[in-house]
Structure formats: C-alpha cells, structure tokens
Amino acid sequence: MKNILKSTLALLSVLVAFTSCDNASKSNNSGALSSSAAEKVYVAPGEHDEFYAFISGGFSGQLSVYGLPSGRLFKVIPVFSQDAEKAYGYNEETKPMLNTSHGFVPWDDAHHPDISQTNGVVDGRWVFINGNNTPRIAKIDLSTFETTEIIEVPNSAGNHSSSFVTENSEYVVAGTRFSVPIPQKDMPIKDYKGNFKGSLSFISIDPEHGHMDIKFQLIMPGFDYDLSHPGRGKSHGWFFFTTYNTEEASTLMEVNASQNDKDFIAAVNWKKIEDYVNNGGGTMMPANYAHNVYDEATHSATSTMKKEVRIVNPLDVPGAVYFLPTPKSPHGCDVDPSGEYIVGNGKLSANLTVHSFTKMLDAIENNKVAGDAYGIPILNFEDVLAGVVEQPGLGPLHTEFDGKGNAYTTFFISSEVVKWKLGTWDVVDRQPCYYSVGHLMIPGGNSQKPFGKYVVAMNKITKDRYLPTGPEVTQSAQLYDISGEKMELLLDFPTIGEPHYAAGCPADLIKPRSKKLFKLEDNKHPYAALSEADTKVVRDGKIVHVYMTTIRSHFAPDNIEGVKVGDKVYFHVTNLEQDYDVPHGVSIIGANTSELLIMPGQTETFLWEPKQVGVWPFYCTDFCSALHQEMQGYVRVSPANSNTPLKWSLGEDIE
Amino acid sequence: MGIIKMKRSNIIMLIAALLPLGLFFFPLWKITLEAPQYPTPLGMYIHINDFSDVHPHDIKNINLMNHYVGMKYIPEAIPEFKIFPIGIIITTLIGLIIAFKGNYKWFLFWFILMILLSSAGLYDFYLWEHDYGHDLDPKAIMKFTNPDGSVMGFQPPLFGSKDILNFRAHSYPMLGAFFLGFGIAASFIAYLFGKKHNKIPS
C-alpha cells in the first residue's frame, strides 16, 4: 500500500514537473515581449523609421513599402496588377504598362525586389522586381515610388531566378524557372529531355535613366533555374544560378526532380559573354516581347513590341559557364559581401553547402573537370567546396549576411533562422519563426555593404499569430534585432499578399530624393490643361475629349452639355495644385473603370461611355479640402440623335 | 580729389548713402504663415520691386487658402514696385552728392528725409495689408465675425506675430530692411561726427 502511495506521488510529481515545464516553455515562445523589445520598434508619432523595406506582395503582384523597425506600411506600389485605388492599369496613361505579347495581363506574381547599386553599395535609385508568371521585369523609380518601366522576357517561363542587380547596376538578371521549347513550338511534353531549354537573360540598365534592354540571353540545358545572385568584389563579373530538375523530368516533379544526389550551381562569367557579344557574338533570334516605358513628363506610358533578341549558345564562349555540383535541389543562391563564398541552400539536404570562388577559379585554371552536361564543364564538388554547415536545420532556403562575418539562413521545415559564422561554419544562434519562413532580408543584404542591424523573416504560414479573419488570414513578417551575438525577436507585422522577398536600405538614401509634386510647367501630357483658361470640350465624331482641371475646390468646367448616348468621353484631368499632398480624385456615375487619383501637376485620363440619357454627376473622390463635398459637377447626356450643342462652363449658367 | 582726402564724417555718409542699395539684393520683409497642416510653413518675401515665394509655389498656395475667406489674390505687381526702387535710387544719389559736396547739416537733412520716406513706405504697406485683409469678396465661401458682430478681417501684422484663424502669421523685416535701417542710422552718425569735428578748430 505504502509503495503504491509512493509511486503515485512520484508519478504525480513527475506530471506536475512536466506540466510546469510545458507552461514555462509556452510563455517563452509566445508570451509578452520584454519592454526593451517594444522600445526598439517604437517610432514616436511624427518620427521617421531608420530603414525603408520594399517587400514584394508575391501573388498580389505589387510592391509594398514598409518602415523598419516599426513595421508600418506606407504605400503599396502597383507593379504587375491593376490597382483601382490609384487607377494603375485602369487609366489611359498606365494601361500600356501591363501590355505583353499575350495582350493585356492585369496580374502577376511579384517575387524578388532588388535595389540598384553603385560600386557594390545600394544607391536607392530604383527597385527592380520580377513578374513570375508572364515573365517580366519591372523598374520602380524611388523618387516617385512609381513603376516606370516593364520589359517582358521572351524565351522564359516562370521568371524566378530574377531580378538581381550587378554591383554597378550594369545588368538586372532574369533566369527561367521552367525550361520550354526555344523557340516555342507544338511538341509532345514527354520529349522534354534534351529538347527543352532554359534561358538566362542579361538585361542592361542605362546608367542615366535606368532604361532596360535585353543585352543577350544565354540558352542553357533544360533544367529549372531557381535563384541567382551576382558575384561581387573579387567575383564581380560572374553570376551564379542554382538549378534543380537536372533530371529533366516533366511530370510528378516532386518525386522525379528530386532523384539526383547533386544538382548544380551554374557559374556564368557574364563579362566574358559581354565581350563576346560586343564583338558581334551571338545570333539575333525572332521574338515578340513588350517593352513598356512610363514617361514622367507626359505622365503616360507607351508600349513597344520588340521583334528580336540576341541569344548566345554557352558552347560558343569557352570558359564562360561552369557547373558546380551542389547537393539536393539547391534553392537560394547567395553570395557573401566579400564575393568569396557562394552558399547553395540545398532545400532537401540536411547540410548547407558553401562554395569558394577562389577554389573555383583555381579548379578552372587547372582544368579539374569532372565531366560535362550538354558540353558545359562540371567541376569536382570537392575542388570548389569551401565548407559545410553541418546539420543546421531542416529545409534551408535562403541566406543573407550582416557584413560582420555572419550568415543567417532560413529553414522552412524546422521554421527558424539560424546564424552561423563564415569560415568556421559554426552555428552561433537559432531563433524560431512563426511559421515556416521563406526569404529573409537584411537591408543592403545583396551588396558589399549590408546594414546588419535587423533581419526581416518573411513567413509562409501565419495560422494563429493574429486575430483570425476566417479561413484566409494575413501573411506575416517578423523583425529580429541582430546587432548582438544572439538574435532577438522584436516584432510580428502583417503584410500584403505573400511577403515573398524584400530589399531594404537606410531611409536617408531615399528620403531627400522623394518628390513632393510634379511641376505644372514640366507637364507635357498631350491633353493637359495647364490653367482654367485652357479647359475645353472637343468633339471628334463620337469621341469627346474633356480637358478638365482641378483645384481646391472645384472642377473646370463643372457643367458640360452636348454629350450623347454612345459617345466615348475621355476625361483628361489635370491637377493644378502645386502643394505637397493635395491630390484630387474623380469619377462619374456608371464609369466602367476606376477613379483617377491625380497628384499635383499631373494629368490622368479615364474613359466614360454614357449609356443612358440624363444629367449625371461627377465628384472629387479624395478628401481634398474643407469644400471637398462641394467639388462636384454635372454632365448632360442627350439622346444619340439629338442636336444639343456642346457647351461647358464654370461658375455661370450654361447659356 | 580722392576718397582719401575725405573727412571721416563724409566717408560715413558715403556708406550711409550706399547701404540702402542692399534692398535690390535682399528682401525687405517676410510674412510667414504657420498651421498644423503646413509642417513647412507658407511664406512670402516682399522685395523692393517684387513678391516672391519662400518655398516654390507658396504664394499660389497662400492665395488658395485665402480665397476661402474671400481675400483677393496677392497681385503680381503693385505700383509701389515701380515707385520704391526709383525712390531708393534718387535718395541714394542725393546722399552721394551730399557725401561728396555737403556739410554735416545736410547729413541730418538726408536722415530726416529717409525717416519720413521710410515711414511713408511703411504706412503704405500697412494700408495695402489692411485692404488685403479687409476688402473681402461678398460671396466669400466662409464668413467670420468678431465677437462684436463686425466682419472679421485677416490683416497680417505689420510687425510681430498674430493668430489668424488656424494660422499663426509672422511678419518681420529681412536683410534688405536692415541695410536701409543701417544706412539711415549711419547718416545720423555721420551728422554727429561732422558736428563734433566742426566744433574743434582746425
């Protein structure tokens, strides 16, 4: 009996111990943060954040602008998707931005923003970002925070190993994830192997205006080119791409593309190919792709279809491309700030593989070739290996660097960020992510000079981290302080779409250049009315052009007569304001498009096709002033066969 | 004859006569309007011959604000912009002649002339401000009355700071006014020097 009592007590105490243990670990995981963490992310009212973070919206197609460390959202820049709030892709001026060889494509999957660089340091001039689905690269101007250029990438599919910028912004590089027939043709899918090809596109950037032009496309074997990064410093002139599906499977990929023990990192000496191309190398191939450019002076975009592209066969440029064997379908391909280490994040491997640029050059010089794939030399794994981070976690995806000799790698499966040391390959610290982190971002991370104060982890799964909102919950990012030896979780913040990847830089790089308004005298829009005296209504057959202006708090004209059912009425609205943060908006009842949101000094146009006789009001949609509610007007719509004369006025009755 | 031979009082008078020319290079006055919505305040410089923006488009934006209470637009030009420069040039010429030819009593004459003219200029400026602040459009969007029932005016202060509805208006002289002021003061000093020098037999 005594024994039973004793053992019962023992069992109970063990249970109690376990329970309390459980409680303790729970409060460690999700309990209130220490007040110091709260202070670290607190930006007092009216104060500004230290960093900008440009976080892609993933399948939203857009790019969001956050402040760090506060995690506050400032703007969603429409890039690949229509945005009714800002009329992007709805007004006549920006519709051409979304033109492609497949026609108007109002959506894409925006993945990897990257900030332009000068001398290996982020310069805050432009952000480039890739559209995955209908391959495109966009350029966002960081003086206006608007998308000013989009170029379609031909011969590509699933534009994923993109859009990374070389250290003097010579190129923004776009690699294909899906190999396809090049040129496209009708053929059996099962004949993939050996017949499909993968293109790696080097898009030159005009140093002055940032205009993009495809310099050449490298036509590679039919693997999946997953991610990429440029060499820097000593490895400047090279570009590295991870590959998977070196099996060249085309069905049940999760199994069939995971068979090879090692896939490759493709090392591309783009300087060598650039020389080859500059000397007339490569061949022009017929193509059809859109190049869309937004002009700040006309406030309008134009779309041009380009009809050829220069392609380069890697076998024609000996010594330009090598394969570095890398275990198990590597995903992220990350180069450290010195340019020496190339990290292959083998997502199905338990270890992290790090290659050495110096050893790679040595192996090339000494011709230590293990074999070839479609004629491209494969170097020996051991000859290029710098080191291995042993068993750091499960499912390594991406690595960034703090500029102090440390690397930070995300692990999707074990849901954590792991800090390790370059050179010794020792794990220093690990912090959990909530949950299943994908990319991570350190401001300036893809450059020679990272600003290693914070890391943002961008998670794929949110579940219970915020107030629930039905089956679909917000996506989530997390901010960690990495200024000390140990990382410290500071903040969760919700994001738009999928926070796929981000680029960040000190706010001071961008803030002074941010435009406050567009100068009216610089407005070269063909339908601008630069003063109320210039306003008019012009009929050209069934097309009516309204040259309208806005200023607090009225439209000019605000009474229009003589419009008829069946007309196409273009409202060209110029905002005459020249003061910071005084936009006006406008729409009219029944318009089959979005409102306009017109910045000071800007002209935008929307189309209205009146279908019913009557007198229809329009009004200002952005609360502009104390008399905003009075900012309204009327259009009289007469029957199609009527003779109502065209008239317009402001401040007096129409005679 | 050279400047070297000039008496000290005449040299001071020469400087006094030249100083007001600074009005052609620097603004005379500045009016600033502060409000919560204007973290960068709106401002206007008044020059001897022009109004100008402190920040680009400030005058346009002041006009936009003022039209709500029925104030007129700040004019592109006023007659004073023609008269004042001529006045300054003439008084400078007179001052120069006095500096070279005149004795100290004429310095006092110039000093008094300048005081009178400047006072007249300030009074003219006040009248303009008063008219600008009180001659309101009867169709003004917003009409305000004082506690005694009279129509509220929006005259900026001639000198100093004042609350006008949501704005705090500041009105202060600028470098050009100091040039003028120092010039006038210098002529009086020249007079004092001349008077002192005259008493000592030489």
Side-chain angles (χ1 to χ4, degrees), chain B residues 17-30:
Chain B
L18 290 172
L19 275 172
L21 293 177
L23 280 168
F24 288 96
F25 303 102
F26 303 104
L28 176 66
W29 221 264
K30 181 184 179 186

mmCIF file of all heavy atoms in Angstrom, chain B residues 17-30:
data_model
loop_
_atom_site.group_PDB
_atom_site.id
_atom_site.type_symbol
_atom_site.label_atom_id
_atom_site.label_comp_id
_atom_site.label_asym_id
_atom_site.label_seq_id
_atom_site.Cartn_x
_atom_site.Cartn_y
_atom_site.Cartn_z
ATOM 1 N N ALA B 17 24.770 106.381 -47.674
ATOM 2 C CA ALA B 17 24.017 106.566 -48.912
ATOM 3 C C ALA B 17 23.984 105.291 -49.739
ATOM 4 O O ALA B 17 22.997 105.021 -50.430
ATOM 5 C CB ALA B 17 24.649 107.698 -49.728
ATOM 6 N N LEU B 18 25.060 104.509 -49.635
ATOM 7 C CA LEU B 18 25.137 103.288 -50.455
ATOM 8 C C LEU B 18 24.361 102.115 -49.845
ATOM 9 O O LEU B 18 23.836 101.269 -50.566
ATOM 10 C CB LEU B 18 26.602 102.881 -50.662
ATOM 11 C CG LEU B 18 27.418 103.811 -51.578
ATOM 12 C CD1 LEU B 18 28.883 103.422 -51.548
ATOM 13 C CD2 LEU B 18 26.871 103.777 -53.005
ATOM 14 N N LEU B 19 24.300 102.057 -48.514
ATOM 15 C CA LEU B 19 23.688 100.891 -47.851
ATOM 16 C C LEU B 19 22.275 100.557 -48.336
ATOM 17 O O LEU B 19 21.969 99.378 -48.558
ATOM 18 C CB LEU B 19 23.708 101.082 -46.333
ATOM 19 C CG LEU B 19 25.021 100.657 -45.636
ATOM 20 C CD1 LEU B 19 24.993 101.090 -44.165
ATOM 21 C CD2 LEU B 19 25.229 99.148 -45.747
ATOM 22 N N PRO B 20 21.391 101.547 -48.527
ATOM 23 C CA PRO B 20 20.021 101.190 -48.963
ATOM 24 C C PRO B 20 19.976 100.420 -50.288
ATOM 25 O O PRO B 20 18.971 99.767 -50.589
ATOM 26 C CB PRO B 20 19.323 102.550 -49.085
ATOM 27 C CG PRO B 20 20.058 103.424 -48.130
ATOM 28 C CD PRO B 20 21.503 102.983 -48.223
ATOM 29 N N LEU B 21 21.052 100.463 -51.070
ATOM 30 C CA LEU B 21 21.055 99.701 -52.330
ATOM 31 C C LEU B 21 20.957 98.189 -52.070
ATOM 32 O O LEU B 21 20.599 97.423 -52.959
ATOM 33 C CB LEU B 21 22.333 100.007 -53.126
ATOM 34 C CG LEU B 21 22.435 101.444 -53.656
ATOM 35 C CD1 LEU B 21 23.766 101.649 -54.371
ATOM 36 C CD2 LEU B 21 21.267 101.757 -54.594
ATOM 37 N N GLY B 22 21.280 97.790 -50.831
ATOM 38 C CA GLY B 22 21.118 96.380 -50.447
ATOM 39 C C GLY B 22 19.692 95.900 -50.668
ATOM 40 O O GLY B 22 19.439 94.701 -50.825
ATOM 41 N N LEU B 23 18.734 96.852 -50.698
ATOM 42 C CA LEU B 23 17.334 96.475 -50.935
ATOM 43 C C LEU B 23 17.148 95.828 -52.310
ATOM 44 O O LEU B 23 16.175 95.121 -52.534
ATOM 45 C CB LEU B 23 16.452 97.721 -50.851
ATOM 46 C CG LEU B 23 16.107 98.181 -49.425
ATOM 47 C CD1 LEU B 23 15.493 99.563 -49.461
ATOM 48 C CD2 LEU B 23 15.167 97.183 -48.769
ATOM 49 N N PHE B 24 18.076 96.107 -53.218
ATOM 50 C CA PHE B 24 17.946 95.493 -54.539
ATOM 51 C C PHE B 24 18.470 94.052 -54.551
ATOM 52 O O PHE B 24 18.301 93.335 -55.526
ATOM 53 C CB PHE B 24 18.695 96.328 -55.589
ATOM 54 C CG PHE B 24 17.996 97.620 -55.892
ATOM 55 C CD1 PHE B 24 18.364 98.801 -55.258
ATOM 56 C CD2 PHE B 24 16.936 97.641 -56.794
ATOM 57 C CE1 PHE B 24 17.704 99.988 -55.530
ATOM 58 C CE2 PHE B 24 16.277 98.822 -57.076
ATOM 59 C CZ PHE B 24 16.656 100.009 -56.441
ATOM 60 N N PHE B 25 19.137 93.684 -53.471
ATOM 61 C CA PHE B 25 19.717 92.329 -53.438
ATOM 62 C C PHE B 25 19.054 91.421 -52.402
ATOM 63 O O PHE B 25 19.105 90.209 -52.527
ATOM 64 C CB PHE B 25 21.221 92.414 -53.142
ATOM 65 C CG PHE B 25 21.975 93.258 -54.132
ATOM 66 C CD1 PHE B 25 22.359 94.555 -53.827
ATOM 67 C CD2 PHE B 25 22.266 92.744 -55.396
ATOM 68 C CE1 PHE B 25 23.033 95.339 -54.755
ATOM 69 C CE2 PHE B 25 22.944 93.524 -56.314
ATOM 70 C CZ PHE B 25 23.331 94.814 -56.000
ATOM 71 N N PHE B 26 18.456 92.041 -51.392
ATOM 72 C CA PHE B 26 17.890 91.231 -50.307
ATOM 73 C C PHE B 26 16.447 91.646 -50.039
ATOM 74 O O PHE B 26 16.099 92.815 -50.232
ATOM 75 C CB PHE B 26 18.721 91.401 -49.032
ATOM 76 C CG PHE B 26 20.173 91.058 -49.225
ATOM 77 C CD1 PHE B 26 21.130 92.062 -49.328
ATOM 78 C CD2 PHE B 26 20.572 89.728 -49.333
ATOM 79 C CE1 PHE B 26 22.470 91.746 -49.518
ATOM 80 C CE2 PHE B 26 21.909 89.413 -49.527
ATOM 81 C CZ PHE B 26 22.861 90.409 -49.621
ATOM 82 N N PRO B 27 15.622 90.687 -49.588
ATOM 83 C CA PRO B 27 14.209 91.036 -49.335
ATOM 84 C C PRO B 27 14.075 92.022 -48.191
ATOM 85 O O PRO B 27 14.880 92.045 -47.262
ATOM 86 C CB PRO B 27 13.554 89.689 -49.001
ATOM 87 C CG PRO B 27 14.665 88.752 -48.694
ATOM 88 C CD PRO B 27 15.886 89.261 -49.373
ATOM 89 N N LEU B 28 13.017 92.809 -48.307
ATOM 90 C CA LEU B 28 12.724 93.846 -47.316
ATOM 91 C C LEU B 28 12.021 93.242 -46.109
ATOM 92 O O LEU B 28 12.331 93.545 -44.968
ATOM 93 C CB LEU B 28 11.821 94.887 -47.996
ATOM 94 C CG LEU B 28 11.274 96.052 -47.178
ATOM 95 C CD1 LEU B 28 12.411 96.949 -46.736
ATOM 96 C CD2 LEU B 28 10.279 96.856 -48.027
ATOM 97 N N TRP B 29 11.057 92.371 -46.394
ATOM 98 C CA TRP B 29 10.171 91.888 -45.338
ATOM 99 C C TRP B 29 9.820 90.423 -45.639
ATOM 100 O O TRP B 29 9.956 89.965 -46.788
ATOM 101 C CB TRP B 29 8.887 92.720 -45.333
ATOM 102 C CG TRP B 29 8.387 93.056 -43.961
ATOM 103 C CD1 TRP B 29 7.435 92.392 -43.263
ATOM 104 C CD2 TRP B 29 8.803 94.138 -43.132
ATOM 105 N NE1 TRP B 29 7.220 92.986 -42.066
ATOM 106 C CE2 TRP B 29 8.053 94.077 -41.941
ATOM 107 C CE3 TRP B 29 9.752 95.166 -43.270
ATOM 108 C CZ2 TRP B 29 8.207 94.977 -40.892
ATOM 109 C CZ3 TRP B 29 9.902 96.076 -42.228
ATOM 110 C CH2 TRP B 29 9.138 95.971 -41.050
ATOM 111 N N LYS B 30 9.370 89.718 -44.597
ATOM 112 C CA LYS B 30 8.936 88.331 -44.800
ATOM 113 C C LYS B 30 7.680 88.083 -43.990
ATOM 114 O O LYS B 30 7.619 88.442 -42.803
ATOM 115 C CB LYS B 30 10.037 87.367 -44.339
ATOM 116 C CG LYS B 30 9.694 85.896 -44.538
ATOM 117 C CD LYS B 30 10.802 85.018 -43.958
ATOM 118 C CE LYS B 30 10.488 83.550 -44.112
ATOM 119 N NZ LYS B 30 11.491 82.714 -43.427
#
